[in-house]
């Protein structure tokens, strides 16, 4: 039985870390809800995926979207948000697997974070298009480009601010929890 104890402790610490990161995403969505599409959630999910992997990024994404949308309002957009974040996390995880983000420059990552704002907007428009009529996709997507631009600029800005804080913090927590 004592041989299983370290595994259980690591597992509990891992769940606690994911819970804290989910709470961070939830709170950041609530705090920044007054700004359209400017929220640090995408950047936090990118950092989680880069440091902890796709599985943890997907877990935090799903939980934070569902929990925050219980407060902000559930609807068709909830599925679109989950799909958009999931595709961005999978894309980030695959890129990280073959290129490793640690080899990219800081400003290369700032650019990538901004690009994910446009990727998110395209995917969310594609997922919601059937509900508004697929023939109206391009009109729907193009009308959302200003909001995607806000999302992209917000992501770049939040990456500039959050990456130097969260990367060392998450690495320290990982070292303490998993050493």
């Amino acid at each position: 039985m004592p041989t299983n104890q370290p595994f259980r402790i690591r597992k509990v610490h891992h769940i606690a870390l994911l819970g804290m990161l989910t709470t961070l995403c939830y709170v950041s969505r609530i705090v920044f809800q007054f700004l359209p599409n400017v929220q640090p959630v995408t950047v936090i999910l990118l950092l989680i995926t880069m440091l902890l992997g796709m599985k943890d990024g997907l877990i935090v994404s799903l939980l934070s979207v569902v929990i925050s949308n219980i407060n902000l309002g559930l609807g068709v957009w909830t599925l679109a948000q989950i799909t958009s974040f999931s595709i961005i996390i999978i894309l980030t995880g695959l890129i990280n697997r073959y290129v490793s983000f640690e080899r990219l420059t800081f400003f290369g990552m700032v650019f990538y974070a901004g690009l994910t704002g446009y990727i998110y907007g395209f995917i969310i428009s594609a997922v919601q298009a059937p509900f508004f009529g697929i023939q109206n996709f391009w009109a729907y997507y193009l009308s959302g480009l200003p909001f995607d631009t806000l999302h992209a600029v917000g992501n770049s800005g939040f990456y500039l601010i959050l990456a130097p804080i969260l990367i060392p913090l998450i690495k320290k927590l990982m070292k303490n929890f998993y050493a």
Side-chain angles (χ1 to χ4, degrees):
M1 188 121 188
T3 58
N4 291 336
Q5 190 63 23
F7 176 73
R8 268 194 228 136
I9 290 171
R10 278 185 288 223
K11 193 168 186 167
V12 169
H13 286 177
H14 188 79
I15 291 169
L17 177 61
L18 295 182
M20 289 185 295
L21 293 169
T22 300
T23 303
L24 180 62
C25 288
Y26 167 77
V27 170
S28 67
R29 279 195 80 194
I30 301 302
V31 168
F32 287 96
Q33 72 179 332
F34 66 95
L35 294 172
N37 286 23
V38 179
Q39 299 167 347
V41 175
T42 307
V43 170
I44 296 167
L45 294 174
L46 290 177
L47 295 173
I48 292 168
T49 304
M50 289 168 28
L51 297 169
L52 300 174
M54 279 192 281
K55 180 180 164 188
D56 291 339
L58 290 168
I59 290 169
V60 172
S61 168
L62 175 68
L63 290 172
S64 62
V65 168
V66 170
I67 292 168
S68 60
N69 280 2
I70 288 171
N71 188 15
L72 298 172
L74 289 165
V76 180
W77 55 87
T78 303
L79 295 175
Q81 289 170 337
I82 291 169
T83 303
S84 296
F85 280 132
S86 296
I87 291 172
I88 288 171
I89 289 166
I90 291 167
L91 176 66
T92 301
L94 291 174
I95 291 171
N96 196 34
R97 181 173 291 161
Y98 296 107
V99 178
S100 180
F101 283 108
E102 292 185 1
R103 291 179 31 197
L104 293 176
T105 65
F106 182 75
F107 288 104
M109 283 305 304
V110 170
F111 175 79
Y112 178 73
L115 181 63
T116 60
Y118 287 108
I119 294 170
Y120 179 90
F122 183 81
I123 296 167
I124 207 161
S125 296
V127 171
Q128 292 189 106
F131 298 102
F132 301 110
I134 197 72
Q135 69 278 7
N136 298 326
F137 169 75
W138 288 108
Y140 181 72
Y141 172 68
L142 293 173
S143 67
L145 271 178
F147 293 99
D148 296 344
T149 301
L150 287 172
H151 192 177
V153 171
N155 284 356
S156 294
F158 281 122
Y159 192 89
L160 282 167
I161 295 166
L162 293 178
I165 297 167
L166 288 180
I167 290 174
L169 182 63
I170 292 172
K171 283 183 176 181
K172 181 179 179 182
L173 290 171
M174 288 171 52
K175 182 180 173 187
N176 290 343
F177 288 171
Y178 310 117

